[in-house]
């Protein structure tokens, strides 16, 4: 079950300006989720009358801190377009919103009520905050993953991209392959080529990630333990790649001589994705129960390899593909967290969390089955050392973690 780390007392300290930097970050991360803001606004609307008589003295709040907090919260809600227009606010409620001192008490009481009503949220405490002693550290902390990958050429030779110098790497059938200073592989045709049957592949190990610009200008970003296989020159009628692991795609819109859009296909073991020009993420790790494809913009069609089921995905949707395919609204912040440098979990099973950690930090994990189904919610930077991430998991005081060499051992 989720652990309640955001408490009334923590919010009081925040409003009084007594929180540590780590605790302030917890509040900020919590309010970054539009779902939390939506729920908060619902409570504000529903509970205004009963909260109106709340006394700032009873709440023991510092007015200056409340004003600052209220201003930042209101700005964030405006950015997310969560504040109703004047036309939707009853006159009786509108009269009560505008006086600033009254609004201060309203927001302060509402946020405390929000927590009191049972929103169980477990947010990890950043490194440096006081933690329960539930983790046994090793002397040398395990660093997070970095930009590293192996490029396999058509002749079978391999290039370690983390060791290769920037600049031109190789010329294949009239196609130049370069490594940029930003740590990216770029394919550029030097002239007329006939290389549609010449394939390269790029693969990242556990603890690695990398970016590649494909011959048509499409961009792909590989997460840890992933691979992408592609021709160094695409066919004139279609573009096809094959992948494993997790890849974030930004597909270039390319047309043929007849000004018809050339389709782009992505193949995994469980599905075939047809793209016309769009941005999407595909999570297709072999040790996950299903492929998860998340559409950011554009339009894609998916065909499940097992059942043949075909579905058109709309922006903001995800498709879970196993034996069958299921479409639903996507949690975009969570599904794309790795692209933005974070782990974000919302009621996610510990077993799934540990698999992601194992891939990014290149470690093995030992976790009893009865603990792997525990659900957690949290957010943490992928740039943290594994010790910091393990500290955060252990901070809920439900599990103990021990790090031995490159193993994480989870115990009750």
């Amino acid at each position: 079950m989720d652990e309640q780390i955001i408490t009334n007392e923590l919010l009081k300290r925040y409003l009084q300006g007594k929180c540590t930097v780590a605790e302030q970050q917890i509040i900020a991360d919590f309010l970054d989720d539009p779902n939390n803001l939506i729920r908060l606004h619902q409570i504000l609307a529903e509970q205004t009358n009963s909260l109106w008589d709340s006394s700032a003295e009873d709440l023991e709040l510092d007015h200056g801190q409340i004003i600052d907090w209220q201003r930042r919260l209101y700005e964030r809600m405006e950015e997310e377009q969560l504040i109703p227009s004047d036309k939707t606010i009853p006159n009786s409620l509108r009269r009560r919103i505008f006086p600033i001192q009254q609004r201060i008490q309203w927001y302060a009481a509402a946020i405390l009520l929000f927590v009191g009503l049972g929103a169980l949220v477990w947010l990890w405490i950043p490194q440096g905050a006081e933690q329960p002693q539930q983790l046994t550290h090793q002397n040398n902390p395990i660093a997070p993953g970095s930009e590293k990958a192996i490029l396999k050429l058509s002749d079978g030779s391999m290039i370690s991209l983390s060791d290769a110098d920037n600049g031109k790497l190789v010329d294949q059938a009239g196609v130049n392959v370069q490594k940029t200073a930003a740590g990216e592989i770029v394919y550029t045709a030097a002239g007329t080529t006939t290389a549609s049957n010449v394939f390269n592949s790029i693969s990242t190990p556990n603890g690695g990630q990398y970016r590649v610009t494909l011959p048509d200008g499409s961009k792909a970003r590989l997460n840890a333990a992933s691979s992408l296989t592609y021709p160094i020159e695409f066919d004139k009628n279609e573009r096809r790649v094959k992948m494993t692991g997790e890849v974030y795609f930004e597909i270039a819109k390319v047309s043929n001589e007849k000004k018809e859009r050339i389709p782009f296909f992505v193949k995994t073991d469980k599905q075939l994705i047809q793209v016309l020009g769009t941005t999407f993420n595909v999570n297709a790790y072999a040790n996950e129960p299903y492929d998860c494809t998340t559409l950011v913009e554009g339009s894609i069609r998916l065909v499940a390899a097992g059942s043949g089921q075909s579905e058109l995905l709309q922006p903001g949707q995800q498709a879970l593909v196993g034996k069958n395919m299921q479409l639903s609204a996507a949690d975009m912040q969570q599904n794309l967290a790795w692209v933005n440098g974070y782990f974000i979990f919302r009621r996610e099973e510990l077993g799934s969390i540990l698999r992601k950690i194992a891939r990014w930090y290149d470690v093995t994990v030992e976790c009893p089955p009865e603990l792997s189904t525990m659900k957690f919610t949290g957010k943490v930077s992928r740039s943290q050392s594994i010790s910091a991430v393990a500290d955060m998991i252990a901070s809920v005081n439900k599990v103990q973690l021990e790090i031995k060499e490159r193993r994480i051992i989870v115990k009750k």
Side-chain angles (χ1 to χ4, degrees):
M1 61 183 296
D2 292 351
E3 299 297 322
Q4 184 174 343
I5 297 300
I6 287 190
T7 62
N8 289 12
E9 185 60 34
L10 175 58
L11 288 170
K12 275 188 179 182
R13 292 202 307 275
Y14 180 75
L15 295 175
Q16 292 170 329
K18 297 179 180 179
C19 278
T20 65
V21 173
E23 290 171 333
Q24 291 176 23
Q25 185 62 49
I26 291 176
I27 301 290
D29 288 345
F30 175 71
L31 294 177
D32 276 344
D33 184 354
N35 292 327
N36 292 337
L37 289 171
I38 291 171
R39 180 63 184 137
L40 174 60
H41 188 72
Q42 290 173 341
I43 291 173
L44 294 178
E46 295 167 358
Q47 301 295 331
T48 300
N49 289 333
S50 61
L51 294 173
W52 198 246
D53 295 329
S54 299
S55 167
E57 294 180 358
D58 293 338
L59 293 171
E60 300 178 353
L61 303 174
D62 178 83
H63 282 192
Q65 293 295 329
I66 300 172
I67 290 173
D68 181 63
W69 174 84
Q70 177 268 334
R71 175 185 56 79
R72 286 186 280 118
L73 172 62
Y74 214 78
E75 287 175 354
R76 185 179 281 109
M77 294 177 77
E78 286 180 325
E79 291 173 359
E80 298 289 345
Q81 298 182 339
L82 300 176
I83 298 177
S85 65
D86 287 347
K87 294 180 180 179
T88 63
I89 303 176
N91 289 333
S92 60
L93 177 58
R94 189 182 302 120
R95 288 196 302 270
R96 297 189 174 194
I97 291 179
F98 294 108
I100 185 63
Q101 289 297 328
Q102 293 173 327
R103 195 182 341 157
I104 290 167
Q105 296 180 23
W106 180 41
Y107 271 90
I111 190 64
L112 295 177
L113 175 63
F114 173 68
V115 177
L117 288 177
L120 300 180
V121 179
W122 173 65
L123 291 175
W124 286 333
I125 302 174
Q127 189 175 19
E130 184 178 353
Q131 301 288 349
Q133 298 300 314
Q134 295 291 339
L135 175 67
T136 302
H137 291 286
Q138 59 184 21
N139 293 330
N140 298 319
I142 297 172
S146 60
E147 304 293 325
K148 53 187 174 183
I150 298 294
L151 177 64
K152 184 178 180 180
L153 305 179
S154 58
D155 62 3
S157 59
M158 298 188 183
I159 301 174
S160 172
L161 298 178
S162 55
D163 297 328
D165 294 332
N166 296 335
K168 182 177 177 180
L169 296 177
V170 67
D171 187 333
Q172 301 176 95
V175 176
N176 292 330
V177 185
Q178 294 188 336
K179 176 186 175 183
T180 70
E184 179 180 6
I185 294 300
V186 178
Y187 286 77
T188 307
T192 302
T193 68
T194 56
S196 59
N197 291 322
V198 179
F199 288 83
N200 283 183
S201 66
I202 183 171
S203 58
T204 54
N206 283 338
Q209 63 180 15
Y210 219 83
R211 292 173 295 157
V212 57
T213 296
L214 298 172
D216 65 337
S218 296
K219 296 181 180 294
R221 181 170 180 175
L222 284 72
N223 201 350
S226 303
S227 70
L228 183 66
T229 301
Y230 48 89
I232 65 172
E233 181 191 27
F234 285 111
D235 186 271
K236 294 181 179 179
N237 298 316
E238 63 179 23
R239 300 168 286 171
R240 286 182 179 268
V241 301
K242 185 176 181 180
M243 61 156 288
T244 64
E246 185 166 23
V247 182
Y248 180 81
F249 290 96
E250 297 177 56
I251 304 303
K253 297 179 180 179
V254 179
S255 299
N256 59 22
E257 295 176 352
K258 298 180 181 179
K259 297 184 179 180
E260 298 170 335
R261 192 70 56 80
I262 300 176
F264 193 106
F265 295 91
V266 178
K267 186 178 185 302
T268 75
D269 287 341
K270 293 186 175 71
Q271 62 181 330
L272 179 65
I273 304 168
Q274 180 180 353
V275 188
L276 293 178
T278 185
T279 302
F280 60 103
N281 188 76
V282 183
N283 183 317
Y285 287 107
N287 63 348
E288 296 296 343
Y290 46 74
D291 286 6
C292 178
T293 300
T294 305
L295 181 59
V296 179
E297 62 180 34
S299 179
I300 59 178
R301 178 170 294 280
L302 295 84
V303 179
S307 64
Q309 180 183 353
S310 175
E311 298 287 352
L312 187 66
L313 207 59
Q314 301 297 327
Q317 285 187 317
Q318 67 178 17
L320 302 182
V321 182
K323 293 182 179 180
N324 297 301
M325 186 187 311
Q326 180 180 355
L327 270 58
S328 62
D331 185 331
M332 304 297 285
Q333 189 180 38
Q334 180 181 10
N335 291 4
L336 304 179
W338 76 272
V339 178
N340 299 312
Y342 287 94
F343 291 111
I344 295 180
F345 310 113
R346 304 199 204 283
R347 292 188 57 79
E348 188 164 344
E349 290 189 350
L350 180 59
S352 175
I353 293 172
L354 292 174
R355 288 194 297 273
K356 293 177 181 179
I357 291 173
R359 286 191 288 261
W360 181 235
Y361 292 94
D362 189 18
V363 296
T364 58
V365 174
E366 299 175 15
C367 180
E370 65 271 17
L371 298 182
S372 65
T373 57
M374 294 176 61
K375 292 183 178 181
F376 298 95
T377 298
K379 176 180 179 179
V380 62
S381 170
R382 280 162 53 106
S383 65
Q384 295 269 28
S385 71
I386 197 170
S387 298
V389 178
D391 274 334
M392 295 171 187
I393 296 176
S395 69
V396 301
N397 218 15
K398 289 293 184 180
V399 294
Q400 299 182 41
L401 286 86
E402 181 179 2
I403 298 177
K404 288 186 176 181
E405 297 179 346
R406 302 198 73 86
R407 289 188 302 154
I408 296 180
I409 303 169
V410 183
K411 305 175 182 178
K412 288 186 178 180

